[in-house]
Amino acid sequence: MSSPPSSSSCSHVRRHEDVPTPSAPPSKRLNMSCEPSTWLQQQEQQRNVTAEMEQQRNEKAEEEEEDVLSKPRGPHKRRFTHVMVRNITYAIPEGYDVDEGNIEYLGGGSFGNVVKTSAVCRDGMRRWVAIKKMREPFYDPLHARRIFREIKLLQLMRHDNIICALDIYTPDEENDFRDVYVVTEFAGRSLYRILKQQRDYGRRVLTEEHIKFIIYQIIRALKYIHSANIIHRDLKPGNIALTDDCDLMVLDFGLARSLENKDTSLTQYVQTRWYRSPEVIYWKIDSYTNLADMWSVGCIAAELLTGDPLFPGDDVNAQYQKITQLCGSPDEELLQKIENDNSSAMKAVIQSYPSHERRDFREVFADHHPSDDFIDLIEKLLVLDPEKRITVEEAIQHPYLADFSLPDDEPRADHIFDLDDSQKRTRSEWRDAVWKEIVDYNRLNSSPIVPGEADR
């Protein structure tokens, strides 16, 4: 890839709080109201009791020290240290750094919570890694399927702009399988936090060259993802990470899915609303394509330019109205497609909104002095009719990205990914499928070392 623009460094500062250990209760006083003749005997008894209690405390402390690492557990009989971070207990495998000063809480969402630590890996390097503890992975069949899907994709993806799994584990036994952990390389700060920091401090960090390089890397990643017939479905600044050198990673495939299988419906409740395409909101709820991801790219690109979200709707109706106020209302051709794909009732709903003409993007963004090529790209991304929206193959060849484009270094997937997630399964069956993925996980050369089993 082309050399990235330089970027000012910034590191995470949030660390978990120490959990105070409650003091042991004071020992009971011995009854001293006794005869003088028995006083010395009582004193001796007290000394013996005190010595015995002290010995028990020492033995207990030794046992606790020995039990910091659990007995071998889980499908691969690994040992774990249990660490409390933000009132969440994480089981961290032997070989990872569990020093509380080196563990950082990175954040949480609807699917899990993430901490950062380091580990020595099989190639001899020590890496910063992100450990994601899935939240209630087997709450219901839908949730369990999403966990299964993400684990599958993180093993299939092999691209330097896409996160992949370095470790997948559980500290549980099969008959009591509840917790799932996925480890990836730490990819840097989220783009969401960088943009928020810009807004909070009123100082731009991302230059024009940064913006161009970020957009290029997102599209480069999508070229690979879409070539495998996968739609990400949750592209947003919070799911994009940047290193201090502006190297980018696309994260979080919990809502991604394959478009290969046609026997299950898609859902409109995917991308965070502000980055959701109009067809996802309304008229192609069951049949939208990976072009929905390209709309999200347009929203992210505009936010990189202005520093603010482009369509911050408070609800679906407000979201759709903000979209049409900028991009115009559906024309007759698109309305006919909406009716054909759905019903005349859906067409009537769309027509019930106030009608707007598409605005001139050059005027809308004039205060930010974008280049003509930038305006041309987002005009082609933010198109209501997905059939007329620019594809990822077209976008990566756009003149705006010419400074970074290297066609020989913009890989496609070498096969279509079959996630094996289309069949209906019970919660228990999805749980069994996830267990099998953990058992069968093939460790990478960059995976953390498992003490005593480096070749696993």
Side-chain angles (χ1 to χ4, degrees):
M1 289 176 58
S2 303
S3 299
S6 63
S7 173
S8 58
S9 63
C10 183
S11 61
H12 291 279
V13 297
R14 294 187 298 166
R15 299 182 184 275
H16 71 278
E17 300 293 331
D18 293 336
V19 180
T21 303
S23 301
S27 56
K28 294 181 179 179
R29 294 179 181 271
L30 294 173
N31 185 1
M32 301 297 291
S33 58
C34 52
E35 294 293 329
S37 61
T38 63
W39 186 83
L40 290 176
Q41 293 178 350
Q42 187 67 44
Q43 288 293 299
E44 182 66 24
Q45 290 176 0
Q46 181 178 351
R47 283 195 293 271
N48 291 339
V49 169
T50 301
E52 184 178 350
M53 292 176 64
E54 183 66 24
Q55 182 179 355
Q56 290 175 350
R57 279 197 295 267
N58 291 337
E59 290 175 353
K60 183 177 181 181
E62 291 176 1
E63 290 176 1
E64 288 177 349
E65 185 175 352
E66 292 175 356
D67 288 342
V68 167
L69 283 167
S70 69
K71 295 179 181 179
R73 292 185 56 80
H76 296 129
K77 301 306 176 187
R78 300 169 72 171
R79 302 206 304 165
F80 299 89
T81 301
H82 291 86
V83 178
M84 181 77 76
V85 184
R86 295 288 180 92
N87 295 320
I88 300 170
T89 300
Y90 293 80
I92 299 181
E94 183 180 8
Y96 288 67
D97 187 352
V98 294
D99 183 349
E100 64 182 22
N102 294 331
I103 299 177
E104 298 178 19
Y105 180 75
L106 297 182
S110 57
F111 293 100
N113 295 277
V114 186
V115 294
K116 171 190 172 186
T117 188
S118 68
V120 176
C121 300
R122 300 175 76 197
D123 58 7
M125 293 182 60
R126 176 173 286 276
R127 286 183 171 82
W128 289 110
V129 296
I131 304 175
K132 181 177 182 180
K133 181 179 182 179
M134 301 297 187
R135 178 175 290 125
E136 298 185 282
F138 310 117
Y139 174 76
D140 59 29
L142 178 61
H143 197 72
R145 184 174 69 169
R146 286 172 174 169
I147 300 301
F148 173 82
R149 185 185 292 154
E150 181 172 13
I151 288 175
K152 289 282 285 189
L153 278 172
L154 289 176
Q155 294 177 83
L156 291 168
M157 300 284 186
R158 292 293 181 267
H159 189 283
D160 53 11
N161 291 127
I162 302 171
I163 205 73
C164 72
L166 299 183
D167 199 0
I168 304 173
Y169 68 86
T170 180
D172 301 329
E173 301 296 341
E174 188 172 7
N175 61 355
D176 191 31
F177 180 31
R178 293 171 296 177
D179 290 332
V180 178
Y181 293 81
V182 176
V183 181
T184 61
E185 187 167 356
F186 174 66
R189 291 185 299 153
S190 77
L191 183 57
Y192 167 80
R193 296 194 179 280
I194 295 171
L195 291 168
K196 184 177 185 300
Q197 187 178 54
Q198 287 190 159
R199 291 191 293 269
D200 290 346
Y201 292 98
R203 184 175 68 87
R204 289 194 68 88
V205 175
L206 301 175
T207 67
E208 183 179 350
E209 285 302 294
H210 286 130
I211 293 170
K212 186 182 296 185
F213 191 51
I214 290 168
I215 295 171
Y216 169 71
Q217 291 179 93
I218 295 172
I219 292 175
R220 183 174 182 264
L222 281 180
K223 177 180 177 180
Y224 178 90
I225 294 168
H226 290 180
S227 69
N229 222 12
I230 299 294
I231 177 173
H232 186 282
R233 297 205 301 172
D234 201 19
L235 277 177
K236 57 184 180 181
N239 285 339
I240 295 168
L242 291 177
T243 67
D244 292 339
D245 294 326
C246 207
D247 290 327
L248 177 145
M249 284 276 193
V250 174
L251 314 175
D252 202 337
F253 284 81
L255 291 176
R257 66 156 306 155
S258 170
L259 294 173
E260 184 68 10
N261 299 306
K262 303 299 183 181
D263 56 336
T264 56
S265 296
L266 299 169
T267 172
Q268 69 181 120
Y269 299 104
V270 287
Q271 295 137 311
T272 300
R273 185 189 306 117
W274 295 355
Y275 307 90
R276 191 182 300 168
S277 64
E279 71 269 20
V280 172
I281 294 175
Y282 273 132
W283 59 79
K284 277 187 175 287
I285 291 175
D286 292 332
S287 59
Y288 56 86
T289 70
N290 52 28
L291 287 164
D293 283 343
M294 302 309 293
W295 176 275
S296 302
V297 175
C299 295
I300 294 168
E303 186 170 348
L304 287 167
L305 177 70
T306 67
D308 295 308
L310 185 61
F311 302 122
D314 293 332
D315 55 41
V316 170
N317 292 330
Q319 180 73 29
Y320 181 73
Q321 291 187 69
K322 286 181 178 292
I323 289 171
T324 56
Q325 286 167 5
L326 176 63
C327 301
S329 300
D331 58 19
E332 285 301 321
E333 180 183 359
L334 180 53
L335 285 171
Q336 188 60 52
K337 291 178 182 177
I338 292 171
E339 183 174 10
N340 293 340
D341 290 346
N342 298 274
S343 65
S344 57
M346 178 63 72
K347 178 182 176 181
V349 170
I350 300 301
Q351 288 180 307
S352 69
Y353 285 97
S355 180
H356 298 282
E357 294 294 326
R358 185 178 178 90
R359 296 182 63 188
D360 184 337
F361 280 27
R362 287 175 177 79
E363 293 181 1
V364 172
F365 299 106
D367 290 346
H368 303 281
H369 311 292
S371 67
D372 289 342
D373 284 339
F374 178 89
I375 291 296
D376 185 70
L377 177 60
I378 63 170
E379 280 185 334
K380 291 175 177 176
L381 289 165
L382 297 175
V383 174
L384 262 64
D385 187 344
E387 294 178 5
K388 296 182 179 180
R389 197 175 299 152
I390 192 171
T391 67
V392 70
E393 295 282 0
E394 294 166 339
I396 205 166
Q397 299 175 45
H398 193 277
Y400 176 69
L401 305 176
D403 291 345
F404 295 107
S405 180
L406 290 172
D408 292 337
D409 190 29
E410 295 164 355
R412 296 169 55 88
D414 58 9
H415 65 285
I416 300 298
F417 294 161
D418 180 9
L419 301 184
D420 188 28
D421 68 335
S422 60
Q423 60 178 297
K424 290 186 177 181
R425 295 171 175 166
T426 65
R427 183 172 66 93
S428 177
E429 288 170 337
W430 283 118
R431 179 174 168 272
D432 291 343
V434 172
W435 176 268
K436 186 175 187 302
E437 289 298 314
I438 295 175
V439 170
D440 295 342
Y441 172 69
N442 291 317
R443 303 177 66 75
L444 306 177
N445 195 40
S446 53
S447 294
I449 291 174
V450 174
E453 297 178 292
D455 296 329
R456 182 189 300 162

